[in-house]
Amino acid sequence: MSRAKQPGTGFRPTHVVPPDGMAAWEAPDPGRPTVPLDALLPVELVERLGDWGHIRCANGWAAWVDGRRLVAVPQDPPVGDGPAAGTDDPRPLLARAGQDLADYRSALEDLADGALDGQSFEDRTNGLRIGVVVDGESVWVYDHEEGRWMYGEGRRLAPYATDRPPSHEEPGHEDTGHAATRMAARKGEL
């Protein structure tokens, strides 16, 4: 299993991990488990072997997963010469992620120091979701309030993938011109 980023290879997520996280393996062999993957983690599917999917993370770490459970992103990140299609300034979302991380770190320190028991730690961190991937100028930031990943290369962020099902009755709903992100059904489940 590769843990170091390979020189000269760019990371471009093709999927995210399902909202409930997922198991991972060192090889396409159920007898060789490794660290499970966090919910909504952006990953790049680099190889398929039957139902197995070989994925790579932004830090170069690679593993095998049940490829049927990966959530496809709706489109490639916005790239090109012009500005990203979004208008969101990344600084407030990054500041919120930084504060959430500081809150988590504080709770973890209290747990380690014995000031919190396990249940109190769980209560204090309940509902906390933080996600930031930085790869050079590219950034993916999870917006917990909107339930979506945002992508940017500089001063602007644009929606990238969501963990909420689309609702055509929502005010302001726009047809994006592409299929919504969804979890692939397991074989026989349709």
Side-chain angles (χ1 to χ4, degrees), residues 29-106:
D29 174 358
R32 298 187 56 196
T34 188
V35 179
L37 299 172
D38 293 331
L40 303 174
L41 176 72
V43 299
E44 182 178 16
L45 180 62
V46 294
E47 181 182 358
R48 291 291 302 231
L49 182 62
D51 290 338
W52 291 98
H54 191 227
I55 56 97
R56 182 173 58 135
C57 300
N59 66 358
W61 186 79
W64 289 88
V65 298
D66 180 348
R68 302 168 298 179
R69 295 195 57 231
L70 291 171
V71 180
V73 295
Q75 61 190 17
D76 289 335
V79 294
D81 298 333
T87 59
D88 293 312
D89 181 343
R91 292 173 293 183
L93 197 52
L94 287 169
R96 191 170 349 135
Q99 183 58 54
D100 289 346
L101 182 58
D103 291 347
Y104 182 83
R105 185 181 308 120
S106 174

Side-chain angles (χ1 to χ4, degrees), residues 43 63 66 100-101 118 126 136 142-143 153-154 162 173 190:
V43 299
D66 180 348
D100 289 346
L101 182 58
N126 185 33
Y142 184 69
D143 182 348
E153 288 182 343
T162 182
H173 172 77
L190 290 179

